[in-house]
């Protein structure tokens, strides 16, 4: 058979979902490429893909890698109307404040965790 490679099947386009974007944001964050992580996050929102907790945690971790606790905490609070932050979410924000040496921010997160029964 001189048919096309792949058995003649057409490739179907699959729209990226929260798992796909979460993985991409996680890779950008791991490389300390916060700008890329934020670009991917905005693209996800623009396409109408709803973030899940793991994808949001990936964004929080991208902030943590560069020690931006305030932005991480802001994102954690922004997720609350739709999602329930996990202990991983809070620990990631704590990590961001710890990397920055921001004890006040760290204490604020601990206080919130305690008030939510996580501390």
């Amino acid at each position: 058979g001189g048919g096309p490679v792949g058995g003649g099947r057409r490739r179907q386009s699959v729209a990226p979902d929260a798992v796909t974007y979460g993985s991409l944001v996680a890779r950008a964050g791991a490389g300390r490429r916060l700008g890329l992580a934020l670009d991917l996050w905005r693209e996800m929102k623009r396409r109408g893909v709803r973030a899940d907790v793991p994808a949001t945690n990936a964004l929080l971790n991208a902030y943590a890698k560069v020690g931006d606790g305030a932005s991480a905490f802001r994102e954690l609070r922004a997720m609350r109307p739709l999602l329930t932050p996990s202990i991983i979410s809070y620990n990631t924000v704590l990590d961001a404040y710890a990397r920055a040496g921001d004890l006040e921010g760290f204490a604020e997160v601990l206080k919130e965790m305690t008030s939510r029964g996580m501390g």
Side-chain angles (χ1 to χ4, degrees):
V5 176
R9 285 184 244 157
R10 289 185 165 193
R11 279 212 276 173
Q12 292 187 358
S13 176
V14 177
D17 60 8
V19 173
T20 304
Y21 279 108
S23 296
L24 293 170
V25 169
R27 293 297 306 148
R32 297 177 189 259
R33 297 182 62 193
L34 180 59
L36 177 58
L38 291 171
D39 287 347
L40 290 162
W41 190 258
R42 285 189 284 268
E43 178 183 321
M44 179 183 78
K45 298 280 188 168
R46 195 169 46 249
R47 288 180 175 237
V49 176
R50 194 168 149 203
D52 59 9
V53 173
T56 305
N57 287 347
L59 179 63
L60 298 178
N61 193 51
Y63 282 120
K65 293 290 185 189
V66 299
D68 188 348
S71 294
F73 202 19
R74 184 184 67 244
E75 285 295 336
L76 182 138
R77 287 179 164 161
M79 76 189 278
R80 265 198 239 120
L82 300 172
L83 301 168
T84 302
S86 67
I87 190 72
I88 293 168
S89 307
Y90 280 99
N91 284 339
T92 303
V93 176
L94 287 173
D95 181 49
Y97 278 122
R99 286 174 188 256
D102 184 342
L103 298 180
E104 285 183 29
F106 192 93
E108 187 179 350
V109 176
L110 281 179
K111 182 178 174 185
E112 183 168 313
M113 288 176 73
T114 302
S115 74
R116 294 182 177 273
M118 293 185 171

